[in-house]
Amino acid sequence: MFDLRLIRADALKVRRRRGMLAFCVVITLGVVALMFTVSGIAYAADPTRHGPAGGLANYQQAMWVLTTMTLVVGAVVGSTAGAQDLESGVFRDLAATGRSRVALFGARVPGAWAIVLPIAALAAAAAAVASIALADWLPAPRAGAIFTGMVGVLVAGAFSAAVSVGLAALTGSRAPVIATMLAFVFAIAPILSGIGSLGDARQAIPTNALDRIRDAPGEAPNMPPM
């Protein structure tokens, strides 16, 4: 079902979109760097009013932000991987060569993962290093919190990319998929999570499931989003 050559080709086609890749790096690694830089400057300028930039609580907050940004990256990359051949008319030519349509579509998900997951892992690792190095007198995140934070971010990227590939392959266009995914992450999911009458059904919402993945046993509770 999966052809490594097709997967590498799909990943290469996505990597050639330098502007998109730059955007993905900025809203993940760039946002993480900005958060810790601003917090560090504030602490250095007035330690009596601002706490250290690192520590467990700041790491958990950074993971919350990074998970959200990774969902966006997965939507952008996944929709691109799923629709680029259809939008350019190349898919018809690929199918005419006799390759299985299942193999052609199946290569797009791992091709998107090959882009999304390294970016997400690098940003999560940077957040962990900064949280430990800048903890000062605050408790630093331990291995359990770092591991679950990393897993939560990677699962977010894998889920978002896979869903976006499928939707883009179905619709044949990137823009509606990106708009739908962003609307779900930033508007629909928070609204559904706030409806108490849904009860335990709210736990099935992907963003809530990701929150549970990020929770590390034995660690302090997650900081609420700012």
Side-chain angles (χ1 to χ4, degrees):
M1 177 179 176
F2 295 105
D3 188 323
L4 291 179
R5 290 175 298 177
L6 289 177
I7 293 173
R8 287 194 293 265
D10 273 284
L12 179 60
K13 285 185 286 187
V14 176
R15 283 201 300 269
R16 286 176 176 171
R17 296 176 177 265
R18 302 299 175 85
M20 183 196 70
L21 289 180
F23 168 78
C24 293
V25 171
V26 167
I27 69 169
T28 51
L29 189 60
V31 167
V32 168
L34 180 63
M35 289 178 62
F36 284 101
T37 299
V38 171
S39 298
I41 292 174
Y43 177 59
D46 191 353
T48 61
R49 295 183 57 187
H50 303 282
L56 175 61
N58 289 326
Y59 171 76
Q60 290 176 328
Q61 189 172 29
M63 286 299 99
W64 183 88
V65 174
L66 181 57
T67 299
T68 303
M69 294 298 99
T70 303
L71 288 170
V72 176
V73 169
V76 173
V77 175
S79 61
T80 300
Q84 59 185 352
D85 287 343
L86 295 171
E87 289 180 332
S88 62
V90 175
F91 183 79
R92 185 181 306 170
D93 297 332
L94 292 174
T97 63
R99 290 187 181 274
S100 167
R101 289 178 178 267
V102 175
L104 291 173
F105 281 113
R108 296 176 180 182
V109 173
W113 286 347
I115 304 300
V116 175
L117 298 186
I119 294 175
L122 180 61
V129 171
S131 298
I132 295 172
L134 302 176
D136 201 352
W137 48 267
L138 291 176
R142 299 193 295 270
I146 294 173
F147 175 76
T148 52
M150 176 76 73
V151 170
V153 169
L154 294 179
V155 170
F159 169 78
S160 179
V163 171
S164 298
V165 166
L167 292 176
L170 181 65
T171 62
S173 179
R174 291 186 304 159
V177 175
I178 295 175
T180 300
M181 292 295 290
L182 294 184
F184 179 81
V185 171
F186 292 107
I188 299 174
I191 291 175
L192 293 176
S193 298
I195 300 177
S197 60
L198 294 178
D200 291 339
R202 290 177 295 177
Q203 301 305 314
I205 299 172
T207 51
N208 292 339
L210 291 171
D211 287 340
R212 295 199 304 275
I213 292 174
R214 290 198 314 271
D215 289 337
E219 299 282 6
N222 284 346
M223 291 289 290
M226 295 184 64

